[in-house]
Amino acid sequence: MRPVSPIGTDAVPAAFAAERPDTEYLPPAARMSRADLDALPQYTEMIGVGVLAGAANVIMQLAVPAVGYGVYESKVDSGNLFKHPIKRTRTTLSYLAVAALGSPKDRKAYRKAVGKAHAKVRSDSNSPVEYNAFDPKLQLWVAACLYKGTEDVLRTYGSEHLITEDLYQSGAVLGTTLQMPREMWPATRADFEDYWHDTVAGLEIDPVIRDHLMSIARVEFAGPIVSKLLGWWFEIFALGFLPPEFRAKMNAPFSRRQQRIFDGSNAVLRAIIKRLPGPLRTFPYNLLLADVRWRIRTGRPLV
């Protein structure tokens, strides 16, 4: 495997651009079968309170214009965070639960369900940038952000010694659970760091996407009452978990007062988490995985 270049404008394979993309398809360069990809091992510990880092992770993902506009312009109404906040949040967290804790059968079923929604997420002649939710390079970026978030959560609420090369290698499932070939995942953690810095260096966040991202940080999708009462606190967590280079690109300064609140809140949460039994530490991911499996058994929609 070779380090991956920053996101470019390469054409999406025809199989992904079709009207009904084949969610089981892999590019010819892929050396692992779909069954092997679904069976890749995972080593990470899922810490439930890490959902507080979710807004920061979404901001990083959507900072790439093709991802940002793909979400902002999406015609999949049921996946719109501002119209269906509970459903959208459940779908996103369930994906993480399936990728990190699920069986090969869980991953396959969830990929097919997500693929049906992703098939509708593609740019048209009016879009300011070209995008397609089946683009493996865009999926690599999203997976990279999710992995970065995993490390941040472990450093903040878990243990530094859990961040190993094995953990990094297992992070590939965050992309391979969709259409990203395993070979696209940078070969080593050092290669990942090069890919990350090269991609971030080329990012520019336009005003439309910036305003959308700040509204997510302030939980405006939860309604005016929640946003007015708690938006300031959620914004602190969003900006606190956001790397400084992203805050600079967002033109979103982080004050000393905000840093103190962020550090103090996390110190309290960390002390509580370390005293919790395993199932409570993992909640809500274990519950969401159980919900996915129940939906599979009963034939209910997964997303």
Side-chain angles (χ1 to χ4, degrees):
M1 291 181 288
R2 295 178 290 106
V4 181
S5 61
I7 293 170
T9 56
D10 298 351
V12 177
F16 293 160
E19 283 301 314
R20 294 187 177 183
D22 178 3
T23 61
E24 299 302 283
Y25 175 85
L26 285 170
R31 295 194 295 272
M32 295 182 69
S33 70
R34 172 51 67 193
D36 289 338
L37 292 174
D38 286 340
L40 284 172
Q42 249 292 7
Y43 298 100
T44 189
E45 175 186 3
M46 298 296 286
I47 301 177
V49 75
V51 298
L52 290 172
N57 211 272
V58 170
I59 289 172
M60 291 191 295
Q61 294 173 33
L62 273 59
V64 165
V67 180
Y69 274 99
V71 171
Y72 183 72
E73 296 185 336
S74 175
K75 301 176 180 65
V76 183
D77 189 72
S78 62
N80 189 308
L81 178 64
F82 286 81
K83 294 181 180 179
H84 305 282
I86 295 176
K87 182 177 182 180
R88 175 64 187 189
T89 301
R90 174 181 64 80
T91 300
T92 301
L93 295 181
S94 292
Y95 176 79
L96 291 174
V98 168
L101 305 172
S103 68
K105 179 181 176 181
D106 299 329
R107 293 177 185 175
K108 181 176 181 177
Y110 214 77
R111 178 177 59 260
K112 285 179 173 292
V114 172
K116 291 179 180 179
H118 277 183
K120 303 173 185 177
V121 181
R122 62 182 67 190
S123 56
D124 56 31
S125 57
N126 296 317
S127 303
V129 296
E130 187 176 354
Y131 59 83
N132 184 314
F134 276 83
D135 188 334
K137 276 200 168 186
L138 298 184
Q139 292 184 1
L140 167 61
W141 171 250
V142 171
C145 292
L146 292 173
Y147 175 73
K148 266 281 195 180
T150 297
E151 287 194 350
D152 289 342
V153 168
L154 287 174
R155 287 192 183 97
T156 304
Y157 303 120
S159 301
E160 186 84 21
H161 77 271
L162 295 173
I163 302 174
T164 63
E165 188 67 23
D166 281 344
L167 173 72
Y168 168 70
Q169 295 298 334
S170 72
V173 303
L174 296 168
T176 60
T177 301
L178 293 178
Q179 286 77 39
M180 187 197 86
R182 178 64 178 80
E183 289 76 19
M184 287 189 72
W185 193 244
T188 67
R189 182 61 180 78
D191 293 324
F192 176 89
E193 200 68 18
D194 290 340
Y195 161 76
W196 180 268
H197 286 301
D198 289 346
T199 302
V200 173
L203 293 181
E204 292 184 12
I205 304 175
D206 72 23
V208 172
I209 297 300
R210 179 196 179 279
D211 290 345
H212 182 64
L213 297 180
M214 288 307 300
S215 67
I216 292 175
R218 295 167 182 146
V219 294
E220 292 178 7
F221 54 85
I225 296 177
V226 173
S227 180
K228 186 173 182 179
L229 292 176
L230 297 174
W232 64 274
W233 189 74
F234 281 103
E235 182 179 346
I236 286 174
F237 272 86
L239 297 181
F241 276 109
L242 202 62
E245 59 268 31
F246 280 90
R247 293 203 294 261
K249 291 176 182 291
M250 288 279 291
N251 191 25
F254 196 55
S255 69
R256 291 183 179 179
R257 174 179 173 275
Q258 288 174 311
Q259 185 71 61
R260 287 196 299 270
I261 295 173
F262 180 72
D263 293 339
S265 298
N266 282 333
V268 172
L269 289 169
R270 183 166 54 249
I272 294 172
I273 291 163
K274 289 189 174 182
R275 290 167 173 79
L276 292 177
L280 288 179
R281 283 169 59 89
T282 306
F283 178 84
Y285 293 111
N286 45 6
L287 180 63
L288 288 165
L289 180 60
D291 175 69
V292 168
R293 289 172 172 170
W294 172 75
R295 289 172 179 274
I296 293 172
R297 287 196 310 271
T298 58
R300 286 171 168 78
L302 299 185
V303 300

